[in-house]
Amino acid sequence: MDGDPAVEPQLDAFSLAFPLPYRVAIIVILAVWGWGLNLHFLHIRRIDVPSLIRYPGRSSSAQLTHHHSTYRIASLLSSASGLSIVIFWMLTRGDPQRVIDYDWIPMTNLLVIALLFSVPLRKLSVSHHGRSRLLRTLKRVSVGGLAEAKDGKFGDILLADVLTSYAKVLADLFVCLCMFLTSNGSATARPDRGCGGDILVPVIMAVPSAIRLRQCLIEYVRVRSAPLREATGWGGQHLANAAKYSTAFPVIVIGAMLRNQTEASPGLSRAWIAACLLNSFYSFYWDVAKDWDLTLFSDARERNSPDHPYGLRRRLLVHKPGVYYAVIALDLALRCTWMIKLNPSLDQISNFESSIFLIQFLEVFRRWIWIFFRVETEWIRNNPVGLDAEDILLGDFQGNKLV
């Protein structure tokens, strides 16, 4: 059971209303809405995201902006899924057997989402160029490929990093398909995350981190092969970044071993905690110091420099300093959601399907926030010379006082 005695043993109350295929669809659709909000807010802050990812700009002011195009496809996806959910509710009426029997409805919805991403929709005034570009990038990234800087390397890195936050969602997508295609199985039954064997789901969860690890190694090789190595360094930072992504593998492997054990092993549990601590704090450090170029973990002289707020940097384009401090704290907290399992009173709750969905949502939310500051950092790196009247200076310093 999933901890709810008021329903059939096979399904909890949450799964009766939102079976696994719908939960996967909701998280995917939220990503599209989130990307639209990223583009919109950064456009307001005069950060040209399309230029950073080498996406063609609009040739005419009559064309929809990039964020409005994203909102349009998100609206289509939301409408299709919303209609599907309402039909599913009307037919099943909360009956567990009906929920299991009508699993083809939410699975059809996943197919519709895939088609909306891939087929031209010009009659609905939805540009196909952006979606085809996404699919090409996804195809390249899915095997660990990485474009050259002039061809959109930053876009590849951004997408691959997003995939690491969707590792559990991708695994759940596989579980849906596996259960749907299994004889006498149902995609809307209680999720069987051992479907396909004990190894396949952990392997799928590890793929996004393996993709980013390979991209880091590609960058390292490119730096080592560069004719002017003095200007690019020896590539140590790329190796350190690759090491960060490799710390995800022990968490996944040991976690799978613990799930497959009939009796808990204290030694294995301690190893899992140690692996989680290393992965969480290494990733948090990298978010702050490398991805966002903040000085919180720099030496005291740089961290306390009068040229910028404590632990931040001189150019803050997204918002005021207080927002940066709040985001740093939020990033740390959401990097450590796994600690819920260490509390005996919360451990059982963390296994509820609703709790699993909430944790997946919080990771996607964390990545959405991360994108604002990662893109801002890339924009500053690509526009380092001077600060003209067009720059948005929030929290700039004069002497030791904020203005």
Side-chain angles (χ1 to χ4, degrees):
M1 287 184 65
D2 209 46
D4 190 341
V7 297
E8 292 288 326
Q10 294 83 3
L11 291 170
D12 65 355
F14 183 70
S15 296
L16 287 172
F18 295 100
L20 188 61
Y22 280 133
R23 302 201 295 266
V24 171
I26 289 170
I27 294 287
V28 170
I29 294 169
L30 285 175
V32 182
W33 281 110
W35 178 239
L37 290 169
N38 288 137
L39 292 173
H40 196 169
F41 181 84
L42 293 169
H43 173 75
I44 292 171
R45 293 302 190 194
R46 298 178 186 176
I47 296 175
D48 188 359
V49 180
S51 72
L52 289 175
I53 62 176
R54 301 299 187 266
Y55 186 83
R58 298 306 193 217
S59 58
S60 169
S61 59
Q63 291 181 295
L64 284 176
T65 59
H66 295 91
H67 55 271
H68 279 113
S69 292
T70 306
Y71 289 152
R72 184 163 289 187
I73 184 64
S75 298
L76 277 174
L77 294 169
S78 300
S79 299
S81 293
L83 178 62
S84 177
I85 289 173
V86 169
I87 293 173
F88 182 77
W89 286 345
M90 291 174 63
L91 292 175
T92 60
R93 288 173 286 183
D95 180 77
Q97 190 57 50
R98 285 174 174 266
V99 167
I100 291 172
D101 292 341
Y102 284 97
D103 67 333
W104 58 270
I105 297 178
M107 292 303 291
T108 301
N109 180 60
L110 288 178
L111 177 61
V112 169
I113 290 175
L115 291 175
L116 287 174
F117 269 115
S118 57
V119 302
L121 298 169
R122 294 184 181 87
K123 290 184 179 181
L124 297 176
S125 300
V126 177
S127 171
H128 184 57
H129 188 272
R131 288 172 293 135
S132 61
R133 168 71 178 265
L134 171 64
L135 293 174
R136 288 196 303 271
T137 304
L138 189 59
K139 182 179 179 180
R140 178 172 60 248
V141 165
S142 64
V143 293
L146 184 66
E148 295 288 347
K150 61 181 177 60
D151 298 321
K153 181 185 80 171
F154 180 61
D156 286 11
I157 292 173
L158 212 57
L159 179 58
D161 270 324
V162 168
L163 289 177
T164 63
S165 292
Y166 270 75
K168 292 182 179 179
V169 180
L170 292 172
D172 277 353
L173 176 59
F174 166 78
V175 170
C176 291
L177 294 170
C178 180
M179 291 171 61
F180 184 69
L181 297 174
T182 301
S183 59
N184 300 321
S186 172
T188 51
R190 187 178 188 277
D192 176 14
R193 293 184 172 86
C195 189
D198 297 332
I199 297 176
L200 206 47
V201 169
V203 167
I204 292 171
M205 290 174 59
V207 166
S209 294
I211 288 172
R212 276 300 286 129
L213 188 150
R214 185 171 186 271
Q215 287 182 334
C216 292
L217 295 178
I218 289 174
E219 288 197 273
Y220 171 74
V221 171
R222 287 178 182 174
V223 168
R224 299 293 293 179
S225 303
L228 298 175
R229 193 178 300 173
E230 296 80 7
T232 58
W234 67 276
Q237 181 161 306
H238 298 305
L239 289 181
N241 201 12
K244 180 197 74 174
Y245 289 106
S246 71
T247 62
F249 303 140
V251 175
I252 296 170
V253 171
I254 299 173
M257 293 170 65
L258 284 171
R259 281 192 297 272
N260 295 330
Q261 279 192 335
T262 54
E263 294 184 9
S265 167
L268 208 55
S269 297
R270 287 193 291 268
W272 179 79
I273 293 171
C276 288
L277 286 170
L278 176 61
N279 176 257
S280 296
F281 289 112
Y282 195 166
S283 299
F284 170 67
Y285 162 79
W286 202 273
D287 288 342
V288 174
K290 304 299 181 181
D291 289 339
W292 299 341
D293 284 356
L294 302 180
T295 59
L296 185 63
F297 298 117
S298 302
D299 59 64
R301 180 178 178 182
E302 186 175 359
R303 186 169 57 246
N304 294 291
S305 171
D307 292 332
H308 57 70
Y310 174 83
L312 303 184
R313 47 174 149 75
R314 189 164 66 96
R315 297 181 68 183
L316 305 177
L317 309 184
V318 169
H319 220 285
K320 296 178 181 179
V323 172
Y324 286 77
Y325 295 129
V327 166
I328 290 171
L330 181 65
D331 189 70
L332 176 60
L334 295 182
R335 284 284 188 187
C336 297
T337 53
W338 57 270
M339 288 186 179
I340 293 174
K341 290 183 174 290
L342 302 183
N343 188 323
S345 62
L346 297 177
D347 181 41
Q348 186 62 31
I349 295 176
S350 69
N351 292 322
F352 290 5
E353 287 300 317
S354 55
S355 300
I356 292 172
F357 176 74
L358 177 60
I359 290 172
Q360 290 178 352
F361 168 78
L362 289 174
E363 172 56 23
V364 170
F365 176 75
R366 185 198 66 79
R367 182 63 65 181
W368 174 64
I369 296 294
W370 175 90
I371 287 174
F372 287 111
F373 299 91
R374 179 65 184 89
V375 172
E376 175 208 32
T377 303
E378 193 70 15
W379 179 256
I380 292 172
R381 290 173 183 174
N382 282 269
N383 298 272
V385 181
L387 298 173
D388 56 36
E390 293 296 311
D391 283 319
I392 303 167
L393 300 179
L394 299 172
D396 201 7
F397 264 51
Q398 289 185 350
N400 291 319
K401 291 178 64 180
L402 273 171
V403 296

